[in-house]
Amino acid sequence: MTITAALPQKLGRMWTLPGVYAPQADTHLLAQALRDEGVTADMDVLDIGTGSGALALLAARMGARVSATDISWRAVATARINAARDRQRIRVRRGDLTAPMAGRTFDLVVSNPPYVPTPLMPRAATRGASVAWNAGHAGRQAVDRICAHSHQVLKAHGVLLMVHSGLCGVEASLGRLRDAGLQCSVTGRARVPFGPVLTERLPWLRAQGLVGPDEEEEELVVIRAERS
Ligand SMILES: C[S@@+](CC[C@H](N)C(=O)[O-])C[C@H]1O[C@@H](n2cnc3c(N)ncnc32)[C@H](O)[C@@H]1O
């Protein structure tokens, strides 16, 4: 699936506390992948880095038993409030990636993690809202850990759907997921204009060779990985 026009935005407007990531193009691309995957009432679903809870809510509306994690207390509160407003039961826990779900396994894991390549900056500048996008020099701090460890929270034949930018390396993700024993491929793509964070970082990204001189768009990809 490649989407080049505007992404369908069927998630509706989500209420968020200040500093919590509101659904954007990457959320909508992953939401489409989740719909295409098909979610049924007998499925356990985990949303890693839930933010507003948009993807967790979508899975809950499709009938699944849904859990979600986020490192940010504000995101946890936002997702809980959005679930209550929508009268959906979602177990939202604060913590690092899958850590709050230790010992549990899921049929479907979705994640839209931080993935934006990030220059070295003072620690204070990497807190707050930017925890949603800053992801280390290569943009792979969270992505690599999800690739390496998500099989531990997948049931047999469980599926991971993860979205990230092509800027942080699609082949690197596919290689790491295969190293972890998962069968994987790119199942969704969308080209979107650079948002404010990438635009502000363009001189650095160009100096790193991550963005060409005339490029004005990034490619988002959805990677599907299945535990056999
Ligand atoms: C790009 S936002 C995505 C939010 C939402 N899932 C969406 O698609 O709109 C990334 C989210 O991951 C959370 N996050 C960042 N690092 C994390 C970590 N180590 N463990 C859990 N969540 C994390 C951020 O707080 C943020 O809410």
Side-chain angles (χ1 to χ4, degrees):
M1 171 181 59
T2 301
I3 301 176
T4 46
L7 291 162
Q9 304 201 354
K10 296 180 196 156
L11 294 168
R13 283 184 70 83
M14 300 291 297
W15 173 85
T16 54
L17 280 169
V20 175
Y21 193 87
Q24 298 188 25
D26 45 9
T27 321
H28 294 294
L29 187 64
L30 188 53
Q32 189 56 51
L34 195 152
R35 288 187 203 96
D36 292 346
E37 187 67 32
V39 172
T40 52
D42 58 347
M43 286 172 73
D44 291 305
V45 176
L46 171 63
D47 179 15
I48 303 173
T50 195
S52 66
L55 295 162
L57 263 178
L58 177 62
R61 286 183 196 135
M62 293 163 86
R65 295 178 295 268
V66 183
S67 302
T69 67
D70 205 289
I71 200 77
S72 150
W73 273 118
R74 280 174 177 257
V76 168
T78 298
R80 285 180 180 159
I81 290 168
N82 281 329
R85 283 157 61 118
D86 206 48
R87 297 178 191 279
Q88 300 290 343
R89 284 174 58 112
I90 298 174
R91 177 198 289 236
V92 190
R93 297 284 182 268
R94 189 214 166 244
D96 183 32
L97 301 182
T98 59
M101 300 294 151
R104 293 195 57 202
T105 53
F106 297 85
D107 301 287
L108 180 61
V109 174
V110 295
S111 189
N112 176 9
Y115 55 71
V116 177
T118 305
L120 269 180
M121 26 177 102
R123 193 164 161 69
T126 63
R127 297 207 186 108
S130 68
V131 74
W133 56 81
N134 282 345
H137 209 264
R140 300 197 54 88
Q141 270 174 358
V143 170
D144 275 344
R145 292 168 61 218
I146 291 171
C147 291
H149 300 299
S150 58
H151 68 281
Q152 294 165 352
V153 290
L154 287 175
K155 298 183 188 185
H157 303 294
V159 168
L160 165 73
L161 294 172
M162 175 172 60
V163 66
H164 67 64
S165 169
L167 291 182
C168 71
V170 180
E171 288 307 317
S173 294
L174 294 174
R176 288 194 165 84
L177 287 162
R178 287 184 189 120
D179 287 347
L182 300 177
Q183 291 185 324
C184 55
S185 60
V186 173
T187 55
R189 295 179 188 273
R191 292 201 70 81
V192 296
F194 292 144
V197 174
L198 284 185
T199 301
E200 192 247 339
R201 246 166 236 183
L202 264 182
W204 180 80
L205 290 165
R206 290 200 166 118
Q208 303 304 304
L210 292 171
V211 174
D214 302 324
E215 273 182 79
E216 292 174 357
E217 290 182 332
E218 67 174 322
E219 183 175 56
L220 301 175
V221 298
V222 174
I223 294 177
R224 181 184 188 278
E226 181 168 346
R227 187 177 163 193
S228 50

